[in-house]
Amino acid sequence: QVQFVESGGGLVQPGGSLRLSCVVSGTDISKYAMGWWRQTPGTRRELIAQITSNDSKNYATFVKGRFTISRDNAKNTMYLQMDNLNPEDTAVYYCNLIVPNINDRPNWGQGIQVTVSS
């Protein structure tokens, strides 16, 4: 069973930085594209950054230039470096595999809270 453990969140002031980690167990992530999603209460979970198995990266417009996705296949871990955070980035952040059929996507982990506030 594939499992995800997100960490690195917390409370940060506007303009600050955080680095999220996603440790994956139960599969070899080197075979997969992966992504970071975020969700706020009452909204849909949205994909904000993705990285392919050959390290091609894409970002949602509103995080481009501020967030950087990366992966370390040897550690079966994915990262999200978040800089110049603003209050609108406050959300629960999740990681998962990107698969062609959404029904094949593994269950979500607990996610990690990121709060940007002064």
Side-chain angles (χ1 to χ4, degrees):
Q1 183 181 359
V2 181
Q3 292 185 319
F4 305 95
V5 178
E6 300 94 345
S7 64
L11 174 63
V12 63
Q13 292 187 340
S17 298
L18 286 173
R19 187 192 193 206
L20 305 185
S21 297
C22 168
V23 178
V24 184
S25 60
T27 194
D28 177 2
I29 70 167
S30 67
K31 301 182 294 185
Y32 296 97
M34 296 190 66
W36 284 98
W37 285 256
R38 71 185 188 188
Q39 186 174 26
T40 56
T43 68
R44 291 179 58 187
R45 197 168 299 178
E46 58 183 350
L47 179 64
I48 61 170
Q50 54 186 304
I51 183 168
T52 67
S53 57
N54 61 0
D55 275 1
S56 178
K57 305 169 185 178
N58 279 291
Y59 301 92
T61 303
F62 48 84
V63 304
K64 202 168 188 176
R66 301 188 299 122
F67 291 10
T68 303
I69 190 171
S70 62
R71 62 195 297 162
D72 185 338
N73 292 336
K75 295 182 179 179
N76 232 38
T77 300
M78 181 178 63
Y79 304 97
L80 186 68
Q81 177 67 39
M82 305 188 295
D83 299 316
N84 195 21
L85 286 159
N86 59 60
E88 290 69 39
D89 296 316
T90 296
V92 179
Y93 287 70
Y94 301 86
C95 58
N96 211 316
L97 309 182
I98 292 177
V99 294
N101 186 338
I102 194 172
N103 295 319
D104 294 331
R105 182 186 291 161
N107 291 333
W108 298 94
Q110 296 275 6
I112 189 72
Q113 177 70 46
V114 171
T115 303
V116 185
S117 176
S118 54

